Amino acid sequence: MMSWDLILLPLAAGVLVLLSHIPLGVQVLGRGVVFLDLAMAQLAALGGQITSLYFPDKLWIAAGGVSLALCGAAWVALISRHYAHHREAMIGCLYVACVCIGLILDSQSHGAFAHKSSHGDILWVNPEQLIPLFAVALLVIATRWSYTQLTNGLLFYPLFALSVTLSVDLLGVYLVFASLIVPALLIRVCSCPLWVGYFAGIGGYAAGCLLALWQDWPAGASIVVMLMLTAIAAALSFSGVRRLALFS
């Protein structure tokens, strides 16, 4: 028997993450910096990994992740101004470097930090972890409505780094990437409103959590797959409804 209560907290975490990540993901696609989310997520994971070697307390680990991600955000803002044509390649190199440094540190400590940072453990979220996710979701929404869109690079990059850092430990790098890009890609490709992306994203999280519990599969991987499937279904449905409206 499967306890339905087990998916309530993970689903709440997923909704909060989507509230902040979908508007940011739309901006990522608009700016043409797809590697940015992967690089920021990996920077946050690496910052936490390095900090954990000296300060194993969770608060220090989180602070280390935020600090390194903010440094990365400042660097990306700088190269976006001076090396716009090579920005994506440079961000990709940053991501690869962070992955390799993390693997080296992980092999030396004989731990599983890098594996955890890749996959996350959203099924075991606790209520306290929802508080910072709620705070950053409110911040992103308030910023979006205050400035219409996150067009100011000085504001976008730090906010992006903070949002990704808070979610990467809970979701893992892969699920952070999917949460940012998949619903945003649906919105931009189909020219549909934000609520369609939120609907597909929440459906993907719910289906992925249920599938993980039912089949005892990795939660992060299950949610990523279901996010993609629900986005495809939403795209087909939205396109079909729009065609019917044109012919009616």
Side-chain angles (χ1 to χ4, degrees):
M1 295 292 291
M2 182 170 58
S3 175
W4 297 97
D5 294 339
L6 291 175
I7 72 165
L8 295 181
L9 282 177
L11 187 56
V15 171
L16 292 175
V17 166
L18 290 171
L19 283 174
S20 62
H21 282 40
I22 290 179
L24 293 172
V26 171
Q27 282 294 311
V28 165
L29 294 179
R31 293 167 183 265
V33 286
V34 177
F35 271 123
L36 178 62
D37 47 337
L38 282 173
M40 289 298 104
Q42 199 62 50
L43 270 170
L46 180 60
Q49 186 177 5
I50 294 172
T51 306
S52 68
L53 298 176
Y54 306 98
F55 305 99
D57 183 76
K58 288 186 176 181
L59 185 60
W60 281 105
I61 292 174
V66 171
S67 300
L68 193 58
L70 287 175
C71 290
W75 179 77
V76 171
L78 183 65
I79 66 170
S80 296
R81 177 175 297 182
H82 298 287
Y83 303 99
H85 294 296
H86 306 291
R87 176 179 54 189
E88 188 75 344
M90 291 181 176
I91 295 173
C93 290
L94 176 65
Y95 166 70
V96 171
C98 290
V99 171
C100 292
I101 293 171
L103 290 173
I104 292 171
L105 292 176
D106 204 48
S107 65
Q108 290 178 345
S109 61
H110 304 288
F113 200 102
H115 177 79
K116 181 179 181 296
S117 69
S118 297
H119 299 284
D121 53 357
I122 191 173
L123 283 183
W124 309 114
V125 61
N126 58 64
E128 290 77 16
Q129 291 175 301
L130 299 182
I131 297 174
L133 295 180
F134 179 74
V136 77
L138 284 181
L139 184 59
V140 170
I141 293 171
T143 303
R144 175 179 170 78
W145 287 112
S146 298
Y147 296 90
T148 306
Q149 56 181 351
L150 300 171
T151 55
N152 186 350
L154 295 176
L155 181 65
F156 169 73
Y157 291 112
L159 188 57
F160 186 91
L162 179 62
S163 178
V164 168
T165 301
L166 291 176
S167 59
V168 70
D169 184 56
L170 181 62
L171 274 64
V173 174
Y174 304 143
L175 187 49
V176 166
F177 177 82
S179 299
L180 280 161
I181 297 302
V182 174
L185 191 60
L186 165 67
I187 292 167
R188 290 188 65 89
V189 169
C190 297
S191 300
C192 56
L194 272 176
W195 69 264
V196 176
Y198 284 123
F199 182 81
I202 293 171
Y205 266 85
C209 287
L210 288 172
L211 188 63
L213 288 171
W214 179 38
Q215 295 290 338
D216 195 25
W217 288 350
S222 300
I223 297 172
V224 167
V225 172
M226 294 312 299
L227 273 174
M228 294 183 179
L229 291 178
T230 54
I232 292 171
L236 294 174
S237 300
F238 189 81
S239 300
V241 169
R242 190 159 53 186
R243 288 194 187 96
L244 288 175
L246 289 174
F247 287 110
S248 63

